[in-house]
């Protein structure tokens, strides 16, 4: 499973990258806004740090506007993936961008049929938002399971980026289902590595080592 980091924060990206945990980066307008810096400056800097797919989202909601923004964003770097919202105009833009060879990440997917349509339109990636479904008492991971099955049934090339991840179980279950990618917030990445028995075992080893010096 590939790990993307779901942040626009440069320090977080550098830290996760230094652990070898960043195969790509996803951003969205809310994550960019949190940084209080120019959108394109942030995206350009991320592209200099990470050699992998970097998702940057359009703001337009009409097909022509999305295509115009996408063409502009795609010029920033070869690794740019343009995030397109899962609306009908977005599907039209996705299809046209696929014909132009511009990679897309269809975002804000909350149903398996949306994912099927995005794949048919030629999306490079689909982003099911599982945490936001869990927040509504709907099972986010069931959505991932259904998309994995549909894409496998029809051999779609579209890769699944499990998004809106809130906890390590989201990552574990997605990996067991065979989802291609998890895009993980920095705070959750730390939790994946943590185990109290590791800390306890390390402390015991170091305490015992100290005794050898007496
Ligand atoms: C994914 O591409 C989105 O940026 C992100 O996962 C949304 O997560 P949230 O529901 O925690 O905002």
């Amino acid at each position: 499973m590939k790990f993307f980091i779901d942040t626009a924060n440069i320090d977080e990206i550098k830290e996760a990258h230094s652990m070898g945990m960043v195969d790509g980066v996803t951003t969205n307008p809310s994550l960019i806004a949190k940084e209080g810096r120019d959108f394109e400056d942030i995206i350009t800097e991320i592209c200099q740090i990470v050699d992998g797919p970097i998702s940057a989202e359009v703001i337009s909601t009409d097909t022509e506007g999305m295509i115009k923004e996408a063409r502009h964003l795609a010029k920033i770097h070869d690794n740019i993936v343009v995030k397109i919202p899962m609306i009908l105009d977005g599907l039209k833009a996705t299809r046209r961008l696929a014909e132009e060879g511009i990679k897309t990440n269809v975002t804000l997917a909350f149903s398996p049929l949306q994912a099927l349509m995005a794949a048919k339109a030629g999306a490079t990636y689909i982003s099911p938002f599982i945490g936001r479904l869990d927040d509504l008492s709907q099972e986010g991971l069931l959505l991932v399971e259904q998309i994995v099955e549909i894409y496998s049934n029809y051999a779609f090339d579209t890769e699944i980026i499990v998004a809106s991840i809130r906890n390590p179980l989201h990552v574990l279950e997605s990996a067991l289902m065979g989802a291609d990618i998890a895009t993980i917030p920095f705070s959750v990445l730390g939790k994946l590595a943590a185990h109290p028995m590791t800390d306890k075992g390390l402390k015991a080893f170091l305490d015992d080592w100290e005794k050898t010096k007496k």
Side-chain angles (χ1 to χ4, degrees):
M1 173 180 247
K2 282 173 268 185
F3 279 5
F4 288 3
I5 186 158
D6 193 30
T7 184
N9 183 279
I10 298 296
D11 291 340
E12 290 183 352
I13 292 168
K14 282 184 177 164
E15 179 68 9
H17 186 253
S18 70
M19 299 172 211
M21 291 299 131
V22 181
D23 299 307
V25 180
T26 51
T27 67
N28 64 39
S30 304
L31 292 171
I32 295 284
K34 262 169 66 179
E35 299 309 306
R37 291 177 52 205
D38 178 73
F39 174 37
E40 290 185 29
D41 285 353
I42 295 176
I43 294 297
T44 304
E45 200 172 339
I46 295 173
C47 290
Q48 285 159 0
I49 300 165
V50 175
D51 185 16
I54 312 297
S55 285
E57 188 158 341
V58 297
I59 302 303
S60 302
T61 53
D62 63 291
T63 303
E64 294 309 321
M66 287 186 221
I67 290 172
K68 193 172 166 212
E69 277 187 66
R71 286 179 182 147
H72 178 75
L73 289 170
K75 282 192 192 122
I76 294 177
H77 196 281
D78 285 349
N79 284 338
I80 291 292
V81 174
V82 182
K83 250 179 159 179
I84 304 281
M86 179 50 233
I87 54 179
L88 293 179
D89 273 64
L91 290 176
K92 292 182 209 166
T94 299
R95 176 166 172 255
R96 299 246 308 268
L97 292 168
E99 285 166 1
E100 290 184 25
I102 294 177
K103 292 193 174 115
T104 53
N105 172 359
V106 173
T107 188
L108 290 165
F110 292 92
S111 86
L113 290 174
Q114 288 181 321
L116 175 57
M117 292 177 90
K120 286 176 71 63
T124 318
Y125 301 98
I126 182 74
S127 287
F129 275 38
I130 65 170
R132 293 191 194 188
L133 280 173
D134 287 357
D135 292 344
L136 299 178
S137 304
Q138 295 182 23
E139 218 182 314
L141 283 164
L142 177 63
L143 173 60
V144 177
E145 190 181 337
Q146 290 172 330
I147 301 173
V148 168
E149 189 172 341
I150 290 169
Y151 283 9
S152 159
N153 285 348
Y154 299 103
F156 283 115
D157 291 332
T158 306
E159 288 190 66
I160 303 167
I161 304 179
V162 181
S164 186
I165 281 177
R166 304 266 198 265
N167 58 58
L169 270 181
H170 279 159
V171 181
L172 173 62
E173 295 295 334
S174 299
L176 289 169
M177 287 170 195
D180 304 281
I181 301 148
T183 190
I184 307 172
F186 186 74
S187 58
V188 176
L189 198 60
K191 290 181 187 166
L192 299 190
H195 199 289
M197 289 301 286
T198 305
D199 297 340
K200 191 178 169 191
L202 179 59
K203 182 175 182 318
F205 284 156
L206 295 178
D207 288 350
D208 287 343
W209 189 251
E210 279 306 308
K211 288 177 202 158
T212 66
K213 296 181 186 164
K214 287 172 189 163

